[in-house]
Amino acid sequence: MALPNLILLYVEDPARSSEFYEKLLGKAPTASFPTYAAFEFPNGLNLGLWSTRAANFVSSGTGHRFELAFMVDDDAAVDRLYNAWRAADVPIEQELSVAVFGRTFVALDPDGHRVRVCTPDD
C-alpha cells in the first residue's frame, strides 16, 4: 500500500513562503526553484510549496480548508512555541486555548494557511 508522504500547499510566492517556513522550522528547504520549494523531515514527510502561478498549476478549488499541524509533547511545549512564534512576528489567528483534544493555538503563513500547534489526543 502506498503511504502519503507529501503535503502540498498552494502559495503565491514560493520564495516568501519558503523563508517563512525556514524560520518556523529552523531548517533550509531541501529543494528550491522559482515556482516550488520543499522541506524534507526525518520521519519521511515532505512539505511542498507550489506556486499558483506555475505554468503547469491547475486547481479549481478555493479557500483554506486545511491545517498543517505540529503535535508536541506537552502543554509547556505548546506555550514555548507560541511565545517563540509571537516573538518572531508570526501572525496568530487563534490564541492559546484548550480544545477538546488539548492545549493549542493556530498561526497563519503568508498565504493564510493555518498552522496549528497542539498536544497529542488524550
Side-chain angles (χ1 to χ4, degrees):
M1 177 172 114
L3 298 176
N5 63 355
L6 172 63
I7 294 171
L8 284 171
L9 299 180
Y10 302 154
V11 301
E12 289 293 318
D13 181 349
R16 180 183 70 183
S17 294
S18 182
E19 183 179 304
F20 173 85
Y21 281 101
E22 187 170 344
K23 178 172 62 172
L24 213 64
L25 302 170
K27 65 182 286 176
T30 51
S32 186
F33 305 97
T35 59
Y36 183 78
F39 292 85
E40 184 177 354
F41 304 100
N43 65 356
L45 181 67
N46 293 271
L47 173 63
L49 307 171
W50 193 12
S51 174
T52 56
R53 298 174 188 189
N56 55 352
F57 177 83
V58 176
S59 174
S60 61
T62 60
H64 301 289
R65 300 283 182 211
F66 172 85
E67 292 183 354
L68 179 63
F70 294 84
M71 285 197 284
V72 297
D73 292 333
D74 53 34
D75 290 352
V78 172
D79 292 349
R80 276 192 303 277
L81 278 177
Y82 174 82
N83 292 325
W85 291 7
R86 270 276 192 215
D89 293 324
V90 173
I92 303 296
E93 181 180 50
Q94 179 185 338
E95 295 292 332
L96 282 168
S97 63
V98 177
V100 65
F101 49 82
R103 190 149 178 85
T104 188
F105 73 93
V106 175
L108 295 175
D109 78 4
D111 292 276
H113 296 108
R114 293 169 53 91
V115 182
R116 180 178 297 278
V117 174
C118 59
T119 55
D121 300 339
D122 291 331

